[in-house]
Amino acid sequence: MTTLAEMRTRVRDFVRDTNADETKRKVSDAELNGYLQDGLSDYSWHFPLQKVADTSPPVTLPADAVPDENAVDFVEVSGVLWTLYKVEEGSSLPTTGKFWYWRGGSIELAPTPTSSVSVWYRALHPFPAEDADFTLPSADEELLVLYTAAKFHQKVGTVAAKLDRFKERGERDDNPLIMMHQVIMAEYHAKVSDRLRKGTVRLRKTNA
């Protein structure tokens, strides 16, 4: 596992922003942390943590859940998986059976159970403290490095392009940093797609 401080070092080595004098670095640690946090959020959409929350009706998504209705995989009551009912325009709820459905961003269960409810959901990876470890697998750390490096070059390239405006030619098409972030981000998305093709199958019980 890799700590936040170690991950910043990996990114700086990758983008060659390792000046011993911190005041001469192209981005600060705070900026780099922001890029890492953005990257971790994007990574979480593709490869979330799998968690279980035990709660009681009414059921709301945990704060660390991926902000999407697809965040919930299963709803379990007393050891039994309830069916997801897909509410469509003009449809009415079933009068028999046990099921759960979405209503205004919260989870409704019918009939309302008297026992606790377990919600199996997809969660965001937490952003670690300075000396704490990231939760993503070591094999996927390169994805976070690539995403952060792309953001780094986007910022540096934008600054350099602004300076190029004051050259005699007054053009910015000779600055290779302008496109560097796009090249690295494309590599990031390509590697994400490759991992998704080799990923796990998610199962869900529905009424469809």
Side-chain angles (χ1 to χ4, degrees):
M1 305 297 284
T2 302
T3 66
L4 174 57
E6 292 169 340
M7 187 66 75
R8 279 202 311 270
T9 298
R10 284 188 59 179
V11 173
R12 289 195 183 280
D13 288 341
F14 186 86
V15 299
R16 299 181 181 179
D17 188 33
T18 57
N19 197 309
D21 185 349
E22 295 184 4
T23 63
K24 295 182 179 180
R25 293 176 180 176
K26 294 181 174 66
V27 299
S28 65
D29 283 353
E31 287 178 290
L32 214 54
N33 284 348
Y35 301 154
L36 284 166
Q37 193 160 20
D38 290 344
L40 192 61
S41 295
D42 190 85
Y43 175 87
S44 296
W45 275 91
H46 303 294
F47 310 103
L49 291 173
Q50 301 295 328
K51 290 188 175 182
V52 182
D54 294 321
T55 183
S56 300
V59 178
T60 57
L61 277 178
D64 64 342
V66 173
D68 184 85
E69 289 189 355
N70 290 324
V72 176
D73 288 322
F74 306 108
V75 172
E76 178 184 352
V77 180
S78 300
V80 177
L81 295 179
W82 284 30
T83 300
L84 166 62
Y85 183 79
K86 296 181 179 179
V87 179
E88 299 177 353
E89 185 177 355
S91 65
S92 57
L93 297 177
T95 57
T96 60
K98 297 178 179 180
F99 57 92
W100 63 278
Y101 60 97
W102 288 101
R103 181 179 180 183
S106 62
I107 296 173
E108 298 285 344
L109 297 99
T112 302
T114 57
S115 56
S116 63
V117 178
S118 296
V119 178
W120 303 67
Y121 69 100
R122 306 168 69 203
L124 297 168
H125 288 261
F127 193 73
E130 188 72 8
D131 296 320
D133 292 329
F134 282 89
T135 54
L136 70 166
S138 297
D140 283 354
E141 289 178 355
E142 68 163 333
L143 296 177
L144 191 54
V145 171
L146 286 171
Y147 186 100
T148 307
K151 288 294 186 178
F152 168 90
H153 280 292
Q154 184 176 28
K155 185 264 176 96
V156 173
T158 299
V159 172
K162 289 180 179 179
L163 294 176
D164 286 345
R165 293 172 58 192
F166 298 98
K167 290 182 178 179
E168 183 177 349
R169 287 174 61 223
E171 299 177 4
R172 291 171 283 179
D173 57 351
D174 60 341
N175 184 354
L177 292 177
I178 296 176
M179 304 300 295
M180 181 61 71
H181 76 277
Q182 296 178 353
V183 173
I184 298 177
M185 189 62 80
E187 182 179 358
Y188 165 79
H189 286 299
K191 288 182 179 292
V192 166
S193 296
D194 182 64
R195 283 166 167 78
L196 287 172
R197 286 195 297 269
K198 301 174 182 177
T200 57
V201 177
R202 297 174 61 219
L203 303 177
R204 174 181 293 175
K205 182 180 180 183
T206 72
N207 59 297

